[in-house]
Amino acid sequence: MKTFKLATALVASVALPAAAFATDLEVTHWWTSGGEAAAVAELANAFNAAGDNWVDGAIAGGGSTARPIMISRITGGDPMGATQFNHGQQALELVEAGLMLDLTDVAEAEGWKDKVFPPSLLDACTVDGRIYCAPVNIHSPEWLWLSNQAYADAGLPVPANWTEFVASGPQLEAAGKIPLALGNQAWQSNLAFNAITVAVAGLDVWKQVNVDKNMDVAAGPEMAAVFTAVGDARKLAANSTVQDWNQATNLVLNGQAGGQIMGDWAQGEFQVAGKVAGTDYTCLPGLGLNAYLSTGGDAFYFPKNRSADVEAAQKRLAALLVSPEVQVAFNLKKGSLPIRGDIDLEAANDCMKKGLEVLASGNLVPSGDMSWSPDVVKQNEDLMVEFFKSGMAPETAHQQWVSNLESGL
């Protein structure tokens, strides 16, 4: 079992030669909230300090807005120097089309195979034995974030799990609170569904459906219970009218909402607001029911460029992103977990330490993006949007979800 070591010092691993002169490198990403911007600044500062120049290409609106723009630029002959994608298949067609820089030499020089944990993160960057991306973090969506203030205002104890959270909903509403904050975007509804799946159905069922592709289990009673729980979430979020995920997080921050199902990136917003884990807010991995986390997250790909200077700078940035000092600085601000197991995270707060404990325990599942094609993911996002916005019966949504999965077999 892999464990996280507390190192006494951080030793830079970047073995590539330094730049003879600064090279501008445009980096596109969709990190624009307060916590995200603070984390990106750590990457930019490190790259600039190493002698190059990070040209920030932030695209507002989240990944669903940014990815088509990024892909259009790459396929249209206007590539950026580096671009964010999530772990999984989002950039696979670009790699197969020969549009992405091969980073295998960097990975071998830096010993990524011995340092990146879990190995599935690097596997997600590998096509035909070659490595095409640099993973930077592990982001898990299976978290329930709770406002200690909202529960204090309502005279209620802070729930210890999803079941207690659902039971507290009517009393929160009576106290003028929104029980569940949920932004009005497709991916947020789908994230809530996936988090509830792992929490309610458990790891074995999740693997049978998403890894073994067992459609009998997908249509079975364990997943029926998940859709019932998602129906509970719909009721709890009925009065949540915000759009963006960080707006929903802000409702929890300000004590206006009892909780939010959101990835650990929400922690960056709590940090920027000066909130203290365990005092101002409570975090429950696996919604407090099953302490499982998925190993999704972010990686940077480097579109091919005709300039030898740009390519050299791309490889320097790739090595830097995985280096221990950058991993610490970035992930402490981002609220995510590091992609290497040999770095010092004594500065981590209580929530990050909970995540590290789950990560070390091995209770992990790959992200949905690693298991299903973008088409299937999009179909299920659309389904969850329809479900949360309508009176669709859980049974009907369950049947349609199974049909969506079957279309991807």
Side-chain angles (χ1 to χ4, degrees):
M1 181 181 293
K2 182 90 170 183
T3 58
F4 280 79
K5 302 174 183 177
L6 297 179
T8 56
L10 296 175
V11 180
S13 67
V14 181
L16 297 178
F21 54 88
T23 299
D24 290 343
L25 205 65
E26 182 190 7
V27 183
T28 56
H29 59 86
W30 56 81
W31 291 325
T32 58
S33 74
E36 291 172 331
V40 171
E42 294 292 342
L43 301 181
N45 292 340
F47 189 56
N48 294 343
D52 287 301
N53 184 34
W54 175 291
V55 179
D56 200 67
I59 301 173
S64 58
T65 298
R67 280 190 295 272
I69 296 172
M70 296 166 174
I71 292 171
S72 177
R73 283 190 54 183
I74 295 168
T75 57
D78 181 28
M80 62 294 290
T83 188
Q84 172 197 8
F85 284 106
N86 295 124
H87 301 318
Q89 300 182 27
Q90 290 177 356
L92 179 59
E93 292 184 358
L94 297 173
V95 171
E96 292 177 337
L99 297 174
M100 291 299 187
L101 183 65
D102 186 337
L103 301 175
T104 306
D105 57 341
V106 179
E108 291 177 347
E110 299 298 311
W112 285 1
K113 286 187 178 180
D114 296 326
K115 297 170 184 175
V116 174
F117 178 76
S120 60
L121 300 177
L122 203 56
D123 291 344
C125 291
T126 304
V127 179
D128 295 332
R130 310 299 293 179
I131 296 172
Y132 290 91
C133 67
V136 293
N137 60 14
I138 300 168
H139 263 321
S140 302
E142 298 88 3
W143 292 80
L144 178 60
W145 303 91
L146 300 170
S147 169
N148 290 12
Q149 178 187 334
Y151 279 92
D153 291 346
L156 298 171
V158 177
N161 55 52
W162 173 255
T163 304
E164 294 181 7
F165 175 72
V166 172
S168 73
Q171 291 168 284
L172 283 173
E173 286 187 310
K177 309 293 183 182
I178 299 169
L180 180 63
L182 181 66
N184 186 27
Q185 291 173 321
W187 69 268
Q188 294 186 59
S189 302
N190 201 47
L191 180 150
F193 167 75
N194 289 327
I196 291 171
T197 299
V198 177
V200 173
L203 179 60
D204 289 342
V205 170
W206 192 98
K207 286 184 174 179
Q208 289 177 64
V209 172
N210 295 284
V211 178
D212 300 336
K213 309 296 175 68
N214 187 323
M215 294 298 99
D216 289 335
V217 175
E222 294 90 353
M223 285 306 305
V226 168
F227 278 86
T228 297
V230 176
D232 291 335
R234 177 173 61 183
K235 294 176 185 176
L236 295 171
N239 293 321
S240 180
T241 58
V242 295
Q243 178 74 11
D244 297 328
W245 71 266
N246 52 308
Q247 293 173 321
T249 303
N250 208 43
L251 294 175
V252 179
L253 279 171
N254 294 329
Q256 296 172 264
Q260 178 189 23
I261 299 173
M262 187 47 59
D264 47 13
W265 52 88
Q267 191 168 199
E269 303 304 299
F270 286 103
Q271 181 170 324
V272 167
K275 302 296 183 180
V276 178
T279 300
D280 299 311
Y281 63 98
T282 297
C283 55
L284 300 176
L287 312 192
L289 294 177
N290 282 303
Y292 300 125
L293 297 176
S294 65
T295 52
D298 303 289
F300 278 91
Y301 288 77
F302 299 83
K304 285 184 177 179
N305 192 290
R306 295 181 180 179
S307 167
D309 290 335
V310 169
E311 180 174 319
Q314 290 174 314
K315 292 186 174 183
R316 287 193 294 271
L317 177 57
L320 190 71
L321 293 172
V322 183
S323 67
E325 68 278 11
V326 171
Q327 278 291 297
V328 170
F330 171 74
N331 284 295
L332 286 176
K333 291 287 179 67
K334 190 69 168 62
S336 48
L337 301 178
I339 52 86
R340 23 187 322 157
D342 59 349
I343 57 179
D344 183 359
L345 278 171
E346 288 186 349
N349 66 21
D350 289 347
C351 291
M352 183 178 283
K353 287 177 180 176
K354 285 183 181 180
L356 291 173
E357 289 172 0
V358 176
L359 190 61
S361 76
N363 289 339
L364 307 172
V365 296
S367 73
D369 285 348
M370 297 181 189
S371 303
W372 298 100
S373 71
D375 286 342
V376 171
V377 172
K378 182 63 167 62
Q379 287 179 59
N380 285 334
E381 284 184 348
D382 292 343
L383 172 62
M384 283 301 116
V385 169
E386 182 181 0
F387 180 77
F388 273 91
K389 288 182 174 297
S390 70
M392 180 187 294
E395 297 80 8
T396 302
H398 186 189
Q399 293 171 359
Q400 182 59 55
W401 176 76
V402 173
S403 177
N404 291 346
L405 297 186
E406 289 175 338
S407 73
L409 296 179

